[in-house]
Amino acid sequence: QVQLEESGGGSVQAGGSLRLSCAASRRITSIYCMGWFRQAPGKEREGVARIYIGSGNTEHGDSVKGRFTISRDTAKNTLYLQMNSLKPEDTAMYFCAARLRGGYCSREATEFSYWGQGTQVTVSS
């Protein structure tokens, strides 16, 4: 079991930055893969980025590539999402998720078993 708690959301103007954090209830070195997802009202949940905890290998979605960066701090058992050059279309509830089983880890929500409650990000123009 893994409990996840996100923080760091808020309201910013376009062009601004935010850093989201996701604290895990267990050592993240025991977690295979973690990801950030977002969901705007009326839209499907979108995989923003994922990271293999062991290797640190990352993958970012095309809509955020070059602006967002996923990272992890194994000493703090925390996952991060640094978001720069924010746009109004980035407005959504952001969730972190964890997957314990091995194999290829994509940004598909169905591959993740544990989820946080989410943190709201609102970007105004």
Side-chain angles (χ1 to χ4, degrees):
Q1 291 284 354
V2 183
Q3 280 77 51
L4 303 169
E5 183 173 3
E6 303 94 338
S7 61
S11 297
V12 295
Q13 290 192 327
S17 298
L18 284 173
R19 187 176 79 156
L20 305 183
S21 299
C22 173
S25 62
R26 62 190 281 178
R27 292 181 301 132
I28 63 170
T29 50
S30 68
I31 297 172
Y32 182 68
C33 180
M34 295 185 75
W36 285 100
F37 295 79
R38 66 186 182 186
Q39 189 165 19
K43 294 189 176 181
E44 292 188 356
R45 191 163 293 192
E46 174 190 4
V48 175
R50 68 94 176 113
I51 184 169
Y52 287 103
I53 298 301
S55 68
N57 178 272
T58 63
E59 178 182 294
H60 297 78
D62 288 342
S63 62
V64 304
K65 203 169 291 183
R67 300 188 298 122
F68 291 12
T69 303
I70 188 172
S71 64
R72 87 284 194 234
D73 186 328
T74 56
K76 295 182 178 180
N77 297 316
T78 301
L79 180 74
Y80 299 101
L81 184 69
Q82 178 66 45
M83 305 187 296
N84 299 327
S85 302
L86 282 160
K87 303 175 181 180
E89 51 263 44
D90 294 319
T91 295
M93 185 71 79
Y94 284 71
F95 302 87
C96 71
R99 165 179 162 164
L100 302 184
R101 64 181 176 85
Y104 175 68
C105 184
S106 72
R107 289 178 287 108
E108 292 293 329
T110 54
E111 294 193 8
F112 291 80
S113 301
Y114 302 96
W115 292 83
Q117 294 299 307
T119 185
Q120 178 68 37
V121 172
T122 302
V123 184
S124 58
S125 58

